[in-house]
Amino acid sequence: MAGTEDYRSFLDYQHHSGIDRTFDTETEMKRDYSEKKVVVIGAGLSGQALVRYLVTRGASVALSDQRQAEQIAGLESLEGLPVRYDFGGHDLSLFEQADLVAVSPGVPLDCEPLRLAASLNIPLLGEIEIAAAEIEAPIIGITGTNGKSTTTSLIGEVMRVCNRRVFVGGNIGTPLVEACDEDYDVLAVELSSFQLETVRKFHPRFGLLLNLSSDHLDRYPDLHSYYLAKLEMFRNMNASDFAILNADDPEICRLADSIKATKVWFSAEGKDVQGMLREIDHLYWNWNGANINLPLAQLQLQGDHNIENAMAAMIPALLMGCPAEDAWRAVCSFTGLEHRMQLVRKLNGVSWYNDSKGTNVGSVVKSLSGLQAPVTLIAGGKDKGGEYAPLRPLVEEKVETLILIGEAAARMAQELSGATQIRLAATLESAVEQAYEVTPAGGTVLLSPACSSFDMFKNFAVRGEEFSRLVQQLSAEGGAA
């Protein structure tokens, strides 16, 4: 797609062309897949979950992926199912003959088989849209550039304490379509921009937009197109729904006028908003005459960004009538997620943090902001197309040594030249060894890549696990054990 207008045109096409009328029933949302020919494109976790779901609904399913079967994990979960496999490329005739193409979030919408299907007015629907059509319980959708997984997990903990049967999933792990055959009171669903590209009638009861910053410019033609994808979550929401928004984010404030849902704001900077604001050492819930104060000293999560996450996570529960003391107790007992500012070890006076989930510049900025100098920062990986210059002020202030790995290392070194001492490492193991050598007692080593992991690792979790393993192998006397 050439630019913002082309991307906007695609989104409008998805919503207004009426291409999925074959599947609409009198209930508007639910679809009948019986004897329909469906191609699932993308054989990852969501794609495989879609296959299982569609087969049980009577569809004739083909699974298509550019990769060979031996490169795809988890296919054993489909053994015995009547599925046609199209691996090692895409058989365009399958797409020409399909009644529906179910799109996995990792598949770019401008790839040839999807462009062909769109030209033939064949519906392109993602897993979120397909699953939500069958779900009647209220959905809490959580999106933004950073903090989605932590906030989604926090909401899950809060709802459990408030005795709600809650599903926690989406982009965080369990595909939403797996919730269709279960009975839940509420669903907390992390939503990536990729997942939101292929929704049409998706209508969450609560929509959380945590923040917006540069990311995924290897996927989108420009930054505004990325923001447009995020805003798709709100397209079908109305005044009886709630949009929970960050009042401290200028991009969100600029785009908020297009959101028709009732707006509930949160502000860690203490802005006087209708919603939740921070007042020095406590949070204050300012909504419909409520007067609720929550002491921040009880919060175990560290960093200003986690205060924002905690505020956002509390709001749906409070709007649903959960007792504030119960919800806050759940938030305060939460200690964080793996690979997100996770303390791996303290060795010789040095703290080692695994922040492998920090896959964009905005995330690294938030992580560095909560640390004191001197920091040794290990960064780099697969370049996502954004600028690294916004890291410069914090690198100059806090990072004594920057160790760069992966495909993006050369570009990062060029853009951050002069900000601090920069080293290159051919492997993560070498980066850990160099960090051990140069970081003084009282300092911190932070793995926060600002890049995806796919040049060197299967995913961010594998990268974080390898970092943790390497750090645990270090001996107090010197280097790797």
Side-chain angles (χ1 to χ4, degrees), residues 95-302:
F95 293 83
E96 291 174 331
Q97 299 164 19
D99 296 309
L100 166 71
V101 178
V103 185
S104 296
V107 179
L109 297 180
D110 59 354
C111 68
E112 183 180 8
L114 295 187
R115 284 189 284 110
L116 173 64
S119 72
L120 296 172
N121 277 356
I122 295 168
L124 309 177
L125 298 179
E127 179 249 337
I128 296 298
E129 177 72 15
I130 290 171
E134 192 168 322
I135 292 171
E136 296 181 357
I139 292 175
I140 304 171
I142 302 97
T143 196
T145 303
N146 297 305
K148 297 185 296 297
S149 295
T150 296
T151 304
T152 304
S153 299
L154 278 169
I155 291 171
E157 293 302 310
V158 168
M159 291 300 165
R160 292 184 189 101
V161 168
C162 295
N163 295 316
R164 301 297 205 279
R165 293 166 297 177
V166 60
F167 168 87
V168 178
N171 192 54
I172 197 174
T174 306
L176 180 60
V177 75
E178 295 193 5
C180 289
D181 294 320
E182 301 292 335
D183 187 19
Y184 293 104
D185 297 319
V186 64
L187 299 95
V189 185
E190 178 183 327
L191 297 166
S192 70
S193 59
F194 298 175
Q195 290 171 309
L196 289 167
E197 290 173 352
T198 47
V199 298
R200 270 199 85 242
K201 297 180 180 178
F202 175 61
H203 188 158
R205 180 79 171 90
F206 304 88
L208 281 66
L209 182 54
L210 304 177
N211 46 65
L212 289 172
S213 61
S214 180
D215 201 2
H216 297 305
L217 292 181
D218 53 344
R219 169 98 167 203
Y220 295 98
D222 50 48
L223 193 56
H224 190 59
S225 296
Y226 167 58
Y227 293 165
L228 285 177
K230 293 291 189 184
L231 289 176
E232 286 298 284
M233 181 172 68
F234 300 99
R235 187 190 278 254
N236 298 308
M237 295 175 67
N238 54 47
S240 65
D241 306 311
F242 294 95
I244 298 166
L245 307 172
N246 188 343
D248 303 329
D249 190 298
E251 291 294 339
I252 292 177
C253 293
R254 182 176 64 84
L255 296 168
D257 285 347
S258 66
I259 298 173
K260 298 181 179 66
T262 297
K263 298 176 183 66
V264 187
W265 298 91
F266 62 94
S267 172
E269 296 177 3
K271 294 178 180 175
D272 187 13
V273 296
Q274 287 294 303
M276 187 170 289
L277 60 147
R278 179 181 181 180
E279 293 185 343
I280 306 175
D281 60 354
H282 67 274
L283 303 181
Y284 174 59
W285 175 234
N286 175 30
W287 187 260
N288 288 347
N291 183 18
I292 297 172
N293 288 276
L294 307 167
L296 281 172
Q298 297 176 357
L299 191 65
Q300 292 195 58
L301 291 171
Q302 300 298 306

Side-chain angles (χ1 to χ4, degrees), residues 347-412:
L347 177 65
N348 295 345
V350 175
S351 298
W352 294 74
Y353 282 94
N354 167 18
D355 191 41
S356 183
K357 206 172 189 301
T359 58
N360 58 68
V361 168
S363 180
V364 181
V365 166
K366 289 180 179 293
S367 297
L368 278 175
S369 296
L371 298 176
Q372 300 296 317
V375 176
T376 299
L377 175 62
I378 301 174
K382 182 174 174 56
D383 195 347
K384 298 170 79 175
E387 296 182 356
Y388 299 106
L391 282 173
R392 179 175 288 273
L394 275 171
V395 169
E396 291 176 340
E397 177 187 351
K398 298 192 175 188
V399 177
E400 190 166 288
T401 305
L402 174 61
I403 303 175
L404 298 173
I405 62 173
E407 292 178 2
R411 182 174 168 229
M412 294 183 76

